[in-house]
Amino acid sequence: MSGKLKMDQIATQTGYSVSTVSRVLSGKSYTSEKAREAIVRCARKLGVLDELATGRLLINGIAVFAPARTFTARGDIFYQEVTRGIADAIEPHDVYLTFCGLEEQDADIKLFLEKANNKNINAIIIIGTDDSTVFKLATTLNKPCVLINTNDKERLLDAVSPDHRAIGFNAMRYLFEQGHRRVLCLTTLRRETLYARLDGIKEAYRRYHVPFNAQRDVIVTEGFSAEESEQALAQWLDETPRDQWPQVIFPGSTHMTLGVQKVLARYGLRVPEDISLITTDFHWRLDNEMAEPITSVTVPCRELGVEAVHLLQNRLNRQGTSVLNVLLQGKLQEGGTVSNATRHTGRVAIES
């Protein structure tokens, strides 16, 4: 059946004009919510949505929830980049976008419901929130909802995240394949996603049959700041005999890396001649805040926002499909800060 005939059929079955049907199926926002719901419901029954181009977004308004620091002038750059990805993805469409602060834990439930239930909002994106109550409420709103960089343990909602476990595993795999065995990781564990990254690191130790000792191989800090990482590493080095110092230091962010570099300079340690250095962060921060290139496993960032919009479209068009949990992979970026040790050297070091 031709597109024109199907629009005529939808118009007949819903009682709306062909022009109104056309506006809704083109993703235009200047139609009533009642008309949009009726037309989309009828189009779905007739199989029209399955034939539409995937780039067409049949949504009037999206509410984006993220930690409040995302929306401050000097706030969370990672989440700011994610929201830019969302804006990039909807730019070709006539879609209203609104933002609201929602903390990781003990979120303001009343505020969430107030914003999410707005009649102009047809879809929801939740970034970086770990509050399970919010997830459960989102499933009752009868609106497509996608989570970004968070963990819904009950898997009730579509989600997209960096594959944190694989990022940790791949960074360590690269180091082990370069012949290194003594690696000191600096991380914070303030979110579930960071536990997943640490699990990936431990998995690499098991895969390469390298003993893992949490007291020796990991420094856990409260946050990501350069100052805290500098203080923690300096204390660790002062308390550890020099022959037990690591071959590689693996801080978990750009800011932590800046703190590590200050300590290495203070001790007169050259990178990578005396000690190797690898990190993980997203491209923008690595490119703009590091004075020189550093070997890293980059974390997808703006891509998360783009993929979240695609998941909203998928859920709208295919409501009965299984819940999706999309994991985006990181990429190794060579910066010349990891030396190529021999496996023999690695074995001798671990046996000594």
Side-chain angles (χ1 to χ4, degrees):
M1 184 181 291
S2 71
K4 178 64 168 63
L5 288 176
K6 284 195 174 183
M7 284 199 289
D8 287 341
Q9 188 175 355
I10 294 171
T12 299
Q13 292 189 19
T14 61
Y16 292 99
S17 67
V18 173
S19 62
T20 300
V21 173
S22 177
R23 285 200 303 273
V24 169
L25 296 185
S26 297
K28 304 299 183 182
S29 62
Y30 47 92
T31 53
S32 70
E33 181 64 19
K34 181 179 178 182
R36 196 195 73 85
E37 289 183 358
I39 291 167
V40 170
R41 183 167 56 248
C42 183
R44 184 177 292 113
K45 289 181 180 178
L46 294 174
V48 173
L49 294 186
D50 294 333
E51 299 173 8
L52 290 175
T54 56
R56 189 169 294 172
L57 192 61
L58 305 180
I59 293 172
N60 290 347
I62 302 175
V64 177
F65 297 90
R69 64 181 183 274
T70 305
F71 311 114
T72 60
R74 300 185 64 183
D76 192 311
I77 298 175
F78 180 84
Y79 287 149
Q80 288 173 353
E81 285 291 296
V82 173
T83 59
R84 290 187 181 101
I86 296 171
D88 289 346
I90 69 166
E91 186 177 4
H93 309 281
D94 186 13
V95 177
Y96 169 71
L97 194 60
T98 184
F99 299 96
C100 180
L102 195 71
E103 296 312 309
E104 289 101 326
Q105 297 290 344
D106 301 320
D108 188 333
I109 301 301
K110 182 179 179 181
L111 177 64
F112 171 72
L113 290 175
E114 176 186 339
K115 298 293 185 181
N117 278 316
N118 187 290
K119 65 179 182 179
N120 296 317
I121 296 302
N122 312 114
I124 301 163
I125 295 176
I126 301 173
I127 305 173
T129 296
D130 293 325
D131 195 323
S132 61
T133 302
V134 171
F135 303 153
K136 291 177 181 177
L137 288 172
T139 64
T140 69
L141 299 177
N142 196 31
K143 298 179 180 182
C145 177
V146 173
L147 308 178
I148 297 179
N149 199 40
T150 188
N151 183 22
D152 173 18
K153 293 182 175 63
E154 297 186 27
R155 297 293 189 265
L156 300 174
L157 298 167
D158 294 325
V160 57
S161 297
D163 192 340
H164 292 285
R165 186 184 184 99
I167 287 169
F169 176 85
N170 287 330
M172 289 304 304
R173 178 176 65 180
Y174 172 77
L175 295 176
F176 289 152
E177 290 182 351
Q178 295 300 309
H180 297 290
R181 290 298 180 268
R182 297 197 312 274
V183 181
L184 178 62
C185 300
L186 273 76
T187 186
T188 177
L189 297 175
R190 66 184 187 186
R191 296 204 62 229
E192 290 287 338
T193 53
L194 297 166
Y195 278 96
R197 187 181 296 175
L198 182 57
D199 285 342
I201 290 171
K202 293 178 181 178
E203 181 185 352
Y205 274 84
R206 292 191 298 270
R207 181 74 61 86
Y208 286 84
H209 307 291
V210 179
F212 176 82
N213 183 318
Q215 298 298 319
R216 178 195 63 204
D217 301 327
V218 180
I219 296 175
V220 177
T221 59
E222 288 295 324
F224 286 108
S225 75
E227 294 77 15
E228 188 177 2
S229 299
E230 179 182 356
Q231 180 179 359
L233 177 60
Q235 181 178 345
W236 190 95
L237 293 176
D238 288 341
E239 295 174 353
T240 305
R242 195 178 185 94
D243 61 356
Q244 297 178 28
W245 284 7
Q247 297 168 305
V248 187
I249 298 181
F250 177 18
S253 75
T254 297
H255 288 172
M256 298 180 94
T257 303
L258 293 172
V260 169
Q261 288 176 322
K262 288 184 178 180
V263 176
L264 297 181
R266 188 186 314 159
Y267 281 82
L269 296 170
R270 300 165 300 164
V271 176
E273 292 85 357
D274 300 319
I275 197 162
S276 292
L277 190 59
I278 189 172
T279 190
T280 180
D281 214 321
F282 61 98
H283 274 295
W284 187 95
R285 184 169 278 158
L286 287 165
D287 293 342
N288 289 275
E289 299 189 20
M290 300 302 301
E292 298 179 353
I294 183 169
T295 299
S296 59
V297 177
T298 60
V299 178
C301 182
R302 193 173 293 200
E303 301 94 325
L304 296 173
V306 174
E307 192 62 36
V309 174
H310 291 320
L311 286 175
L312 287 178
Q313 176 76 327
N314 179 75
R315 181 54 55 196
L316 181 64
N317 290 357
R318 306 170 63 208
Q319 290 186 328
T321 56
S322 299
V323 172
L324 298 177
N325 185 19
V326 179
L327 298 177
L328 303 185
Q329 299 302 305
K331 295 180 180 180
L332 178 68
Q333 183 171 287
E334 291 279 6
T337 57
V338 174
S339 65
N340 188 351
T342 65
R343 293 189 180 277
H344 173 72
T345 301
R347 286 196 296 271
V348 170
I350 199 169
E351 291 167 359
S352 60

